[in-house]
Amino acid sequence: MTATTPTVSTTGTATRGDAPALVVVAHGSRDPRALSTVSALLDRVRVLRPALPVRLGHIELNEPLLPDTLTALGDGEAVLVPLLLGRGHHVKRDIPETADASPARTRVAAPLGPHPLLVDALHARLTEAGWPVHPGPDHAVVLASAGSRDPESRADTARTAAALSARLGVPVLPAYASAATPTVEEAIRVLTARGHRRVAVASCFTAPGRFATQCAAAAPWISSEPLGTHPAMARLLLHRYDQARAGGGGTNAVEGARGAPPCGSAAWARPATTEPALAR
């Protein structure tokens, strides 16, 4: 099955020297592969948009931490793009509160998913793992993600699963490593009971880590690698940056984070004096 991904202009764009910095907000991980993967992804972004200042900030576990990255910007402008795949506590609370507590003038963009470019990356990683060009009726996929107690986060994962299903032409069930059900193992059992003998696990993670490893280990057939440095991920980061720059709305609005569709508005956030809440 073929599908056409909407054209997103992210390359060949001259960025003025006074353009807001792009601050990519990663979660952080104890797995050293995560930091190296995220750093390599940012290098891809810099290649696509050479004149754009690109910075990295982590919510926890890795340096630089987001407050330090924003403090280094002083009172300059920045667009914070969560390297997260759906809405949830970090997108709705942690990142905006950290932005409010900094001297920088900031917008917080929508998370990366759902979006057709995310589906591009998921499809490509499955193909690399051995997914066939023409899957049969016995094929199916479990979309494995971290999980969240936030129903909007689960809704975003379900939308990504539906889009991937439409792309592949097979059933795709969302599943979670923590905080939500079904688990990957439970989703595999459901699909197997429906007669799907070839069940792949699609890794809906931005970088290697404990959850990605745990979900891949449950795969009865093939499992894809985390999305990592796939070119579609770099393009998607720039797309969310451009969307946030073009958005309007009230002070401290977060694009797609407070019940609005992911392509909603964003606005510059006023500095505040409250301390950031970085971890649940």
Side-chain angles (χ1 to χ4, degrees), residues 170-198:
V170 303
V172 177
L173 291 187
Y176 307 95
S178 69
T181 56
T183 66
V184 172
E185 292 85 353
E186 288 168 344
I188 290 169
R189 286 197 291 270
V190 167
L191 290 169
T192 301
R194 294 176 183 173
H196 299 287
R197 296 181 297 106
R198 296 282 191 176

Side-chain angles (χ1 to χ4, degrees), residues 142-218:
V142 171
L143 182 68
S145 65
S148 171
R149 294 181 180 88
D150 191 308
E152 289 185 325
S153 176
R154 296 194 296 274
D156 288 343
T157 303
R159 287 173 61 190
T160 298
L164 183 60
S165 176
R167 178 76 60 88
L168 299 176
V170 303
V172 177
L173 291 187
Y176 307 95
S178 69
T181 56
T183 66
V184 172
E185 292 85 353
E186 288 168 344
I188 290 169
R189 286 197 291 270
V190 167
L191 290 169
T192 301
R194 294 176 183 173
H196 299 287
R197 296 181 297 106
R198 296 282 191 176
V199 178
V201 172
S203 183
C204 197
F205 299 96
T206 57
R210 178 169 63 89
F211 284 163
T213 300
Q214 168 187 319
C215 292

Side-chain angles (χ1 to χ4, degrees), residues 46 110 119 130 141 162 184 190 207 209 251 266 272:
R46 294 183 181 105
V119 177
V141 173
V184 172
V190 167
T251 299

Side-chain angles (χ1 to χ4, degrees), residues 206-241:
T206 57
R210 178 169 63 89
F211 284 163
T213 300
Q214 168 187 319
C215 292
W221 179 40
I222 61 173
S223 63
S224 61
E225 293 295 319
L227 302 167
T229 59
H230 189 275
M233 296 294 286
R235 293 171 57 205
L236 184 49
L237 284 168
L238 286 170
H239 176 58
R240 291 304 195 203
Y241 170 88

